Structure formats: C-alpha cells, structure tokens
Amino acid sequence: MASGDERHGEEEGNYGDATMGALREIYAGYAWADVASLEPEAAAARVRVRGAAQAVRAVGRRVAFLVLRQGSATVQCVVSRAGGGMARFAAGLSRESVVDVAGVVSLPREPVRGTTQQLVEIQVEKLHCVSRAVSNLPISVEDAARSEEDVARAKAAGEQRAHVGQDKRLDNRVIDLRTAANQAIFRVQCQVENVFRQVLLSEGFVGIHTPKLLGGSSEGGASVFKLDYNGQPACLAQSPQLHKQMAVCGGFERVFLVGPVFRAESSYTNRHLCEFVGLDAEMALRDHYSEVCDVVDKLFVAMFDHLNKNCAKELEAIQRQFPFKPLKYLETTLRLDYNDGIRMLQEAGVDVDPMGDLNTEAEKKLGELVRDKYDTEFYMLCRYPSAVRPFYTMPCPDDPRYSCSFDVFVRGEEIISGAQRVHDPELLAAQAEARGIDVATIATYIDAFRYGAPPHGGFGVGLERVVMLFCGLGNIRKTSLFPRDPNRLAP
C-alpha cells in the first residue's frame, strides 16, 4: 500500500500495490463491470474494473489520465483525488501492469479520443496495482498494433515508427495477443468453431474424439512425427480419417470432431503448420458423394453469413491493422468439374497436367478465373484424378482414373479436402499397398470394413486456414495462437 505523506485524508488506503485478497473489503460497494459494457446509460454507477494500464498521462502533480484496457475494450480513468498521491502513483505505473480501478462512471464534456468507450470515463476513487509489468517490455502493444500501411506512411513522411516483425511477435506472443486485431482474430476463430459444431449438430451429426497416437501412418508418405510407444514404434496422427470412418461403420452414421492434427512436413510456406486444429466430418451416403458437398455448402455459407452478421466489430478491428476485402461467395456454392477447371487454365495459357494435381500457382490462377467468371471466391472443384488422392478415396464407377472427391477453395487457396471413401476391404487393401503403405499397420482399419460398412464420405479443413483466408491475412501463423512450424517449438 502507499505510505508516507501521500497516505493521508481521503486517500488513505485507496491506492498502492496490493494482492487480490486484500482488496475485497476495500472495494466493497463497487459492482464489477466489463469495460466493453460501459455506456452512457451507466452514468453515476459505482463500478470496479480490472485491466491493463495501456497508457498513463500525468497533468501536473495532482491529475493523471489512465487508459485501462480489458480485452480489446479501453476506457479513460481520471485520477484527481485530493493530495495528489494517487495521481503520482498512477503516473509511476509501468505499461501493461494489471490494475484494479473503482470509481464513478461519468460523461466527458467531449468524446474521449483513443479509447473504444468514447462517451464515458471513470472518475477514480480507488486504484491498486495487482501485478506490475517490467518497465522495459520486449515489444509494446502500440507497436505490435501498427499496420504495415502506417509504418510505410510514416517512413514516407520522414517519421520513425517501430515495425514489429513476425518472428519478434511470436517470440513475445503473450504481448502480441493483446492487440485489438489479435483479440478479434481469435474471437472470430472461436465463432468459426462454434458454427461448425452447431450446424453439424443440427444436421444430425454426433461429436466424437479420435486417438492422436497411431501405430502407422494415416495418410501415407514420410511426413509423420515418430515416437516410441511403450517399446512399440508409433506416430502422431496426421488425420482422424481412419477412426472417423470406423465410427461411421460403428453405427453413428454422421460424426464430426475438432482436434489437433500433426504433419511433420519441412514446409515453410504461409499456409502450412506442423500442428493445426482440424475440423473433420464423416457421414454415411445414400446415393452419391455429392451429399457431402451439400453439407459443406450449407455449413460454410452459414458460417460466412454468421461472421459477417455477428462479428462486424471484430472484422473491423482486423481490417484496421490487416486491410482485406470481404470474401465473395454465392448463396449456393459453385461446383466445378476438375476437367472444366483444367480447361479454364489451359485456355488462359497455363501449362497443367490434366491427370496431375494443381500446384499453388495454378490454384491461385484458377481462383482468379473463377472469381472473374462466376463472381465468387469460394467454390468446389470436384472429381479429381485418382492418382493424386489418398489411398482410401473411392474411384469413380464410370471411370476409375477419376475419384469421387473434391477440394474447396477460398481466395485461390485450397481450404477443404473431401471425398467418398472406399468401404470395400479388398479394394482398400489393394490401394493402400499400391501407395507403399504397410497393410499390416492398418489391419484393424481395413478389418472394420469386413463387418458390414455403409458407403460413406467426409471432409477435413484446418481451423486456422479458414480464418486466415476469410480475413485475407496472408500468413497462417497469424491465426494460430501459439504456432508450431518446422522452426518453432516455443512459446
């Protein structure tokens, strides 16, 4: 607590450093409030708020203005108690220190610039520091919140503006996450996950959880994290694919899950991570794999509609630091045959293999062509060549060179991969062996189809990639809370 000459009169015990438990009696009579909820209707209310000291400005020895931040909301707190001790204490607070403020909500004569709550302020009666931040922070929230455009404009004007690079941000992620844009990004991400769950639940899906420790690769190839499992070789799951199929065969018919996915790829691109959050679904089919496309269509149009309608403030906050154009999408999602996509690229002068996979450049070019022709940046590309799909993908009955599969693209980048699965155990084993997968390591998976298996299909999408592409952020590390790429294992 404060001491000496500054602790006198009505300021006695009303400010200083204190622990949470010591403040309970001192703050009796003040109701807890959220900064974001402080509006003119709350005028004259006696409130208590806790947040970070974003900025402090002293005016003389007896007045100080403290900007308190809670999440992405900020409010001005006016410290002007008799004696000046509280104002001097406020002026000595280090930025980002966690403080408790109690006082009366009042209406400023003019809107407060630089805060989200511009029409109110708090006349401070009590002020205590709960946790002091170090005086020299490795990065400042103000610098981390600055847009590339702001830095460029300042440089053009001959002014100095600190620019915090991506690695510096991630090294100090706890501070970086406090910017308004990051607060918004991960609130949007939460909504994406919520809509994913809600829409699929409304469509009769059941939420499940699958193991992340496997005895063998789930996708084929060498991009797995290998480990010792009680003396047995094992790896981290590249996908929940095999087990979500087994759940459908187990009688659930429609399942979904949200969980971590691990890929040991030495990929340093803007859209790959070694660990990401997978949004996966699998469902029994009645007649055709297009039923999976129907679910994807309904799910993602509902998701985009929800974000645009209910996350306007968050999208605006992201827009201020990372400008982007709203995503163009149709009420009914465009479905384009793979051969038609190849034809569009060839007519545009792009050299592509009709039976090969599309590289990143071709995908982006096709995205531009589709946008210009159909006025959408969200579309499905169906019926991929079998050779470029996983071993468990069902070949097309009319031409086995092609598969009952699809990918979905946003802004020219692949975001969803889906298909009908092979439910015939002999065909499944043959296709696995042809891809170099040791059939013995997936024997329990193949055997699951020997006991009666309905035709089924599904899809998977990375949560981080959905948010990155919807918000046009350009780098998936911006949408991973604590990203894991080939070089990063901390914080």
Side-chain angles (χ1 to χ4, degrees):
M1 295 294 188
S3 59
D5 293 339
E6 292 181 352
R7 291 185 60 192
H8 64 83
E10 61 180 342
E11 292 193 56
E12 181 74 26
N14 287 339
Y15 67 93
D17 293 288
T19 60
M20 265 179 23
L23 297 177
R24 189 167 185 175
E25 292 185 8
I26 297 174
Y27 283 73
Y30 296 90
W32 280 104
D34 292 327
V35 170
S37 69
L38 296 177
E39 299 292 346
E41 293 76 18
R46 290 162 59 82
V47 300
R48 177 184 177 183
V49 294
R50 176 175 292 159
Q54 177 167 293
V56 183
R57 178 169 59 90
V59 181
R61 290 176 54 82
R62 297 192 176 187
V63 179
F65 294 92
L66 164 66
V67 175
L68 184 128
R69 187 187 70 251
Q70 185 185 73
S72 57
T74 53
V75 66
Q76 176 171 276
C77 304
V78 183
V79 185
S80 58
R81 305 295 285 172
M86 188 185 294
R88 289 191 286 277
F89 173 77
L93 289 169
S94 54
R95 287 192 175 194
E96 298 305 305
S97 292
V98 178
V99 298
D100 275 14
V101 168
V104 178
V105 179
S106 65
L107 306 180
R109 277 178 270 186
E110 296 180 358
V112 180
R113 292 184 296 175
T115 62
T116 63
Q117 311 311 104
Q118 297 186 341
L119 303 181
V120 295
E121 60 188 10
I122 298 175
Q123 300 298 324
V124 180
E125 295 177 344
K126 299 178 187 293
L127 171 64
H128 293 86
C129 183
V130 177
S131 173
R132 280 191 180 266
V134 296
S135 56
N136 294 315
L137 297 169
I139 61 173
S140 75
V141 174
E142 181 183 9
D143 290 342
R146 193 167 287 124
S147 71
E148 300 273 355
E149 289 73 11
D150 287 341
V151 174
R153 279 195 294 268
K155 185 176 181 180
E159 302 172 358
Q160 290 293 324
R161 290 287 187 276
H163 175 257
V164 185
Q166 185 72 61
D167 285 338
K168 187 76 170 179
R169 290 175 180 277
L170 296 179
D171 288 342
N172 301 281
R173 190 60 157 162
V174 170
I175 300 176
D176 183 45
L177 289 174
R178 299 174 186 176
T179 65
N182 275 326
Q183 288 288 310
I185 286 169
F186 292 101
R187 283 171 166 77
V188 167
Q189 187 178 95
C190 177
Q191 290 301 308
V192 169
E193 182 177 342
N194 284 345
V195 174
F196 179 81
R197 294 179 187 276
Q198 291 164 7
V199 171
L200 291 185
L201 286 170
S202 73
E203 291 292 309
F205 284 75
V206 178
I208 62 170
H209 297 282
T210 60
K212 308 310 172 196
L213 290 170
L214 301 181
S217 167
S218 55
E219 295 284 343
S223 59
V224 294
F225 288 106
K226 298 179 180 179
L227 51 89
D228 177 84
Y229 183 73
N230 296 323
Q232 303 176 59
C235 62
L236 294 175
Q238 300 163 290
S239 163
Q241 183 59 53
L242 314 186
H243 289 91
K244 65 177 180 174
Q245 284 185 258
M246 293 167 73
V248 171
C249 294
F252 289 99
E253 291 203 340
R254 291 186 162 204
V255 299
F256 74 88
L257 69 153
V258 178
V261 176
F262 303 91
R263 301 283 172 89
E265 298 173 297
S266 297
S267 179
Y268 299 87
T269 73
N270 70 321
R271 63 178 191 169
H272 289 95
L273 291 171
C274 291
E275 179 184 350
F276 62 90
V277 178
L279 307 176
D280 278 85
E282 200 75 16
M283 57 186 279
L285 301 176
R286 293 176 177 175
D287 298 308
H288 196 266
Y289 82 93
S290 61
E291 294 161 32
V292 183
C293 298
D294 294 340
V295 170
V296 171
D297 183 0
K298 183 171 185 176
L299 170 62
F300 281 85
V301 170
M303 184 183 294
F304 299 154
D305 285 347
H306 176 87
L307 295 179
N308 286 327
K309 180 180 178 181
N310 299 291
C311 298
K313 286 185 178 180
E314 287 80 4
L315 295 175
E316 182 183 352
I318 298 169
Q319 179 81 253
R320 283 197 299 271
Q321 184 168 359
F322 305 110
F324 68 94
K325 294 180 180 179
L327 178 69
K328 291 184 175 183
Y329 60 99
L330 303 175
E331 205 171 303
T332 300
T333 303
L334 171 70
R335 300 181 194 184
L336 192 67
D337 188 275
Y338 190 82
N339 282 333
D340 291 334
I342 291 292
R343 191 175 303 111
M344 289 176 68
L345 286 168
Q346 290 175 336
E347 290 174 354
V350 180
D351 183 18
V352 286
D353 178 359
M355 300 305 292
D357 205 356
L358 298 180
N359 59 30
T360 302
E361 292 72 22
E363 289 179 350
K364 288 184 177 180
K365 181 61 178 180
L366 183 57
E368 294 173 5
L369 297 172
V370 169
R371 181 196 60 208
D372 294 343
K373 183 174 182 178
Y374 298 101
D375 197 34
T376 182
E377 296 173 296
F378 179 73
Y379 72 97
M380 301 183 192
L381 192 59
C382 305
R383 201 175 152 98
Y384 271 71
S386 292
V388 302
R389 305 304 283 197
F391 76 93
Y392 47 75
T393 306
M394 180 67 77
C396 288
D398 62 322
D399 187 344
R401 294 180 305 161
Y402 295 93
S403 61
C404 300
S405 65
F406 65 94
D407 277 357
V408 183
F409 295 85
V410 175
R411 301 187 194 271
E413 293 194 40
E414 182 260 313
I415 193 173
I416 302 169
S417 183
Q420 180 179 348
R421 322 303 185 183
V422 176
H423 60 281
D424 177 88
E426 306 310 325
L427 176 59
L428 188 61
Q431 293 198 169
E433 191 172 358
R435 301 296 179 90
I437 297 173
D438 183 355
V439 176
T441 64
I442 57 171
T444 55
Y445 166 62
I446 295 177
D447 285 345
F449 303 103
R450 300 189 190 281
Y451 315 132
H456 59 279
F459 64 91
V461 55
L463 174 61
E464 294 88 349
R465 197 174 288 188
V466 174
V467 180
M468 176 188 77
L469 291 173
F470 182 82
C471 296
L473 289 168
N475 193 319
I476 201 165
R477 291 157 187 79
K478 288 185 171 70
T479 56
S480 176
L481 199 66
F482 297 101
R484 294 291 179 259
D485 62 26
N487 291 329
R488 183 170 292 279
L489 198 56

